[in-house]
């Protein structure tokens, strides 16, 4: 599987971030206000430092990245992304330099699907990623030629399409070298007659930790004859404190320069723990767009918003982006070019009480009567109800969903909300109570568990747990138990859902790890926090039966 995002940031890049931030923001203070966009601008364009539609209304992106170039068969994803409430999708394409080129016919089909699903389409060439540090990366000039080859496809699409010339088009080696080819690529597209809003990504693998884009933003903006230029910052582990996030975003806002968070992540990695809460809160406060990475298909699955492209199986990262504070469901507003949905203030009616079926020890299928709306119902959010608290567990474009990752022999209460494309949310449905099956119990001595730390950094680590069925019968459904002895806490997990109380951890499987064939195994990965001492758990149980170490 090709990675849908690499995180090749040097350790030095993180160490130098604080110094560069302090020096760079002082330098930005002298920037002049951005020039006004041409009064003749059509479609999406920049006006007074803001991205606006052809009618002058602000358009604030709330979207998702989708790796189309590597997964061209996942065409349902655009409809599924729309069902989350997103108003934008950033689509990975290839100009043929590093991966298989997306043809004009394919790009035209992507644009048509975006429009059919009422999504603004940001198209980007990914082959430029890490130029100057990654020897396989292509140039911005090569990417510009690709866009020119698509001119007939893109003509007249200014209302619906933004062109991101090249993804993260410079690594950490001599990032100042990014400025001239970026300016040249913009001017090459303008000379070819492109009037679209153009998005440009920062150097330093998109994170601009040395401030090159920030410090040269005004000069580059002034070099664009149309004034329709949108700067894009990618925020990952470099942005691990609220101050770094706030300072960077406000630097552009204070200068009157248009900015979007074109990619961002939340799960911790070996370089740090991004502060996604501040990213999303500040973006909402400042009226800036954000586009989360990414829908599915990452080599590192902690960045998948959905599991295996299945919109009913949101990861914890997906839950945060779609249903958390300042998330997409709460803040997204559809572009008015699709019919003025932003004027819609009427919420859908409440859905019917969900009915439960196909109850297992780890999952349940819920079905409910549809809501109605004065415009259209965009989707439904399923929540687990516990007292006065409602926790999002699934989303669906239709009137049924299978909730997975449940604990055996446990009582749950579920309810449903409906939402429309304008972001209006219905009253909550009545709740249904469900008790999961007890599930099988692994016979004593029929399992072994291997535990290892695969990466460690100050304050954090990544672990891997392999559960082996050493018995003669298949295991279908399990609960893994163990305890940390040194205060470690799990922050994110794939392959299972953890519950932690103190040092004690209980893990139930994801749907794709629930079954373990005789002599087979499944693997659960996770990231966690640690305070220096990071001993492995001493013992493990599977569905209450002791397992041997293996």
């Amino acid at each position: 599987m090709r990675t849908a995002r690499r995180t090749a940031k040097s350790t030095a890049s993180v160490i130098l971030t604080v110094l560069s931030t302090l020096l760079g923001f002082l330098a930005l203070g002298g920037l002049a206000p951005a020039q006004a966009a041409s009064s003749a601008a059509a479609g999406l364009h920049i006006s007074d430092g803001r991205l606006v539609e052809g009618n002058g209304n602000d358009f604030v992106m709330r979207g998702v990245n989708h790796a189309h170039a590597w997964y061209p068969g996942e065409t349902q994803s655009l409809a599924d992304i729309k069902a989350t409430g997103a108003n934008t999708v950033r689509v990975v394409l290839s100009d043929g330099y590093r991966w298989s080129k997306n043809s004009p016919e394919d790009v035209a089909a992507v644009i048509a699907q975006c429009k059919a699903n009422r999504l603004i389409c940001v198209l980007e060439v990914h082959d430029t990623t890490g130029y100057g540090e990654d020897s396989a990366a292509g140039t911005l000039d090569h990417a510009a030629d690709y866009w020119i080859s698509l001119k007939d496809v893109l003509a007249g699409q200014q209302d619906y399409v933004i062109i991101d010339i090249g993804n993260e088009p410079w690594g950490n080696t001599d990032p100042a070298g990014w400025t001239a080819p970026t300016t040249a690529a913009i001017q090459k597209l303008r000379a070819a007659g492109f009037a679209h809003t153009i998005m440009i990504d920062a150097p330093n693998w998109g994170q601009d930790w040395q401030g090159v884009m920030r410090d040269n933003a005004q000069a580059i903006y002034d070099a664009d004859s149309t004034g329709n230029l949108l700067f894009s910052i990618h925020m990952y582990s470099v942005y691990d404190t609220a101050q770094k996030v706030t300072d960077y975003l406000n630097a552009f806002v204070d200068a009157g320069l248009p900015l979007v968070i074109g990619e961002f992540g939340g799960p911790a990695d070996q370089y740090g723990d991004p502060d996604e809460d501040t990213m999303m809160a500040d973006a909402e406060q400042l009226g800036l767009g954000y586009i989360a990475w990414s829908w599915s298909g990452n080599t590192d699955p902690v960045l998948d918003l959905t599991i295996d492209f299945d919109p009913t199986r949101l990861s914890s990262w997906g839950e945060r982006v779609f249903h958390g504070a300042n998330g997409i469901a709460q803040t997204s507003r559809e572009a008015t070019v699709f019919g003025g949905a932003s004027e819609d203030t009427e919420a859908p009616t409440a859905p019917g009480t969900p009915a439960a079926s196909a109850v297992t020890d780890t999952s349940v299928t819920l079905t409910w009567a549809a809501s109605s709306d004065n415009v259209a119902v965009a989707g439904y959010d399923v929540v687990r109800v516990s007292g006065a608290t409602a926790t999002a567990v699934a989303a669906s474009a239709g009137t049924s969903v299978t909730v997975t990752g449940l604990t055996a022999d446990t009582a749950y209460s579920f309810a449903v909300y409906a939402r429309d494309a304008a972001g209006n949310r219905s009253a909550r449905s009545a709740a249904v109570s469900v008790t999961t099956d007890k599930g099988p119990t692994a016979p004593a001595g029929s399992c072994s568990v291997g535990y290892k730390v695969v990466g460690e950094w100050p304050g954090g680590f990544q672990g891997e747990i392999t559960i082996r069925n050493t018995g003669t019968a298949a295991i279908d459904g399990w609960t893994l138990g163990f305890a940390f002895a040194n205060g470690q806490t799990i922050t994110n997990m794939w392959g299972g859902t953890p519950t932690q109380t103190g040092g004690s951890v209980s893990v139930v499987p994801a749907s794709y790890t629930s079954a373990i064939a005789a002599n087979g195994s499944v693997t659960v990965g996770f990231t966690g926090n640690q305070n220096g001492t990071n001993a492995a758990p001493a013992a493990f149980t599977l569905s209450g039966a002791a397992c041997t170490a293996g």
Side-chain angles (χ1 to χ4, degrees):
M1 181 189 299
R2 291 190 176 109
T3 181
R5 171 186 170 258
R6 34 91 301 270
T7 54
K9 290 94 180 172
S10 68
T11 303
S13 73
V14 178
I15 296 173
L16 291 173
T17 298
V18 174
L19 178 60
S20 66
T21 299
L22 291 173
L23 296 176
F25 289 135
L26 291 174
L28 187 60
L31 291 181
Q35 67 190 55
S38 166
S39 59
L44 290 161
H45 62 280
I46 303 302
S47 177
D48 295 327
R50 309 282 299 172
L51 178 65
V52 300
E53 297 189 68
N55 59 10
N57 287 350
D58 271 12
F59 179 69
V60 180
M61 296 183 191
R62 289 289 180 264
V64 174
N65 284 271
H66 172 52
H68 174 74
W70 304 303
Y71 302 99
E74 296 293 341
T75 55
Q76 175 63 29
S77 291
L78 296 184
D80 293 338
I81 289 168
K82 178 61 178 182
T84 69
N87 62 22
T88 302
V89 61
R90 182 170 177 261
V91 180
V92 175
L93 300 176
S94 172
D95 64 1
Y97 190 89
R98 185 169 186 175
W99 295 287
S100 298
K101 181 189 292 187
N102 292 98
S103 68
E105 295 76 15
D106 182 42
V107 176
V110 168
I111 295 171
Q113 290 168 21
C114 285
K115 292 166 71 174
N117 287 290
R118 303 165 73 90
L119 289 164
I120 294 301
C121 199
V122 179
L123 302 176
E124 61 102 339
V125 164
H126 216 78
D127 306 66
T128 58
T129 305
Y131 180 81
E133 188 172 349
D134 188 336
S135 60
T139 65
L140 280 169
D141 187 64
H142 189 273
D145 287 339
Y146 174 69
W147 293 119
I148 292 171
S149 75
L150 295 173
K151 186 176 179 182
D152 289 345
V153 171
L154 297 168
Q157 301 296 335
Q158 292 93 324
D159 277 318
Y160 308 98
V161 173
I162 291 174
I163 299 171
D164 186 340
I165 302 180
N167 181 71
E168 301 181 3
W170 210 275
N172 290 323
T173 303
D174 185 29
W178 164 92
T179 305
T182 295
T183 304
I186 295 165
Q187 293 177 334
K188 189 171 190 176
L189 291 186
R190 296 309 186 203
F194 284 82
H196 304 69
T197 295
I198 290 176
M199 183 185 291
I200 59 169
D201 288 6
N204 296 128
W205 301 91
Q207 297 200 83
D208 202 31
W209 60 268
Q210 289 177 292
V212 171
M213 182 174 79
R214 181 199 59 214
D215 297 345
N216 291 278
Q218 187 69 58
I220 294 171
Y221 188 80
D222 290 342
D224 179 9
S225 59
T226 71
N228 292 327
L229 192 65
L230 180 61
F231 296 95
S232 174
I233 182 66
H234 292 185
M235 288 186 158
Y236 292 102
S237 52
V238 164
Y239 295 92
D240 57 358
T241 69
Q243 193 66 51
K244 293 175 187 176
V245 174
T246 298
D247 285 349
Y248 195 93
L249 298 182
N250 276 286
F252 280 79
V253 172
D254 291 346
L257 291 167
L259 182 70
V260 63
I261 305 175
E263 289 185 19
F264 70 104
D269 60 24
Q270 62 266 45
Y271 303 102
D273 186 0
D275 186 355
E276 70 275 16
D277 291 343
T278 300
M279 296 174 202
M280 296 168 72
D282 281 6
E284 179 64 12
Q285 178 186 0
L286 298 171
L288 302 180
Y290 65 65
I291 311 175
W293 188 277
S294 74
W295 184 244
S296 200
N298 290 281
T299 299
D300 184 352
V302 300
L303 288 168
D304 283 353
L305 295 161
T306 64
I307 307 302
D308 295 334
F309 295 92
D310 184 349
T312 69
R313 297 165 60 200
L314 296 184
S315 67
S316 57
W317 173 225
E319 291 288 357
R320 173 67 189 92
V321 166
F322 296 126
H323 303 302
N326 302 298
I328 284 175
Q330 182 183 100
T331 65
S332 177
R333 297 293 181 268
E334 185 177 270
T336 59
V337 72
F338 296 116
S342 65
E343 301 301 320
D344 177 15
T345 59
E346 183 175 331
T349 61
T353 305
S357 62
V359 180
T360 72
D361 54 323
T362 60
S363 66
V364 60
T365 297
L366 302 174
T367 306
W368 56 89
S371 298
S372 61
D373 186 62
N374 63 317
V375 178
V377 175
Y380 297 89
D381 300 320
V382 178
V383 296
R384 177 186 175 184
V385 181
S386 178
T389 302
T391 304
V393 294
S396 176
T399 56
S400 67
V401 73
T402 299
V403 181
T404 60
L406 305 179
T407 301
D409 197 22
T410 301
Y412 292 91
S413 182
F414 297 104
V416 185
Y417 291 95
R419 51 183 158 73
D420 61 21
N424 300 309
R425 202 180 198 197
S426 73
R428 197 173 76 195
S429 74
V432 62
S433 296
V434 181
T435 299
T436 51
D437 293 344
K438 291 184 176 180
T441 300
S446 66
C447 58
S448 67
V449 176
Y451 178 97
K452 65 179 180 180
V453 173
V454 297
E456 197 165 9
W457 55 94
F461 71 108
Q462 181 173 332
E464 185 176 279
I465 304 171
T466 300
I467 305 167
R468 298 180 179 86
N469 179 2
T470 58
T472 58
I475 296 173
D476 186 9
W478 46 266
T479 300
L480 177 70
F482 61 91
F484 287 121
N486 308 120
Q488 302 99 317
T489 57
I490 293 175
T491 56
N492 192 63
M493 178 173 282
W494 51 100
T497 301
T499 300
Q500 183 167 355
T501 304
S504 298
V505 180
S506 176
V507 178
V508 295
S511 59
Y512 57 95
T513 58
S514 182
I516 313 176
N519 298 314
S521 64
V522 295
T523 299
V524 174
F526 67 93
T527 55
N529 295 327
Q530 51 91 10
N531 296 310
T533 303
N534 191 18
F540 297 88
T541 61
L542 196 68
S543 299
C547 296
T548 60

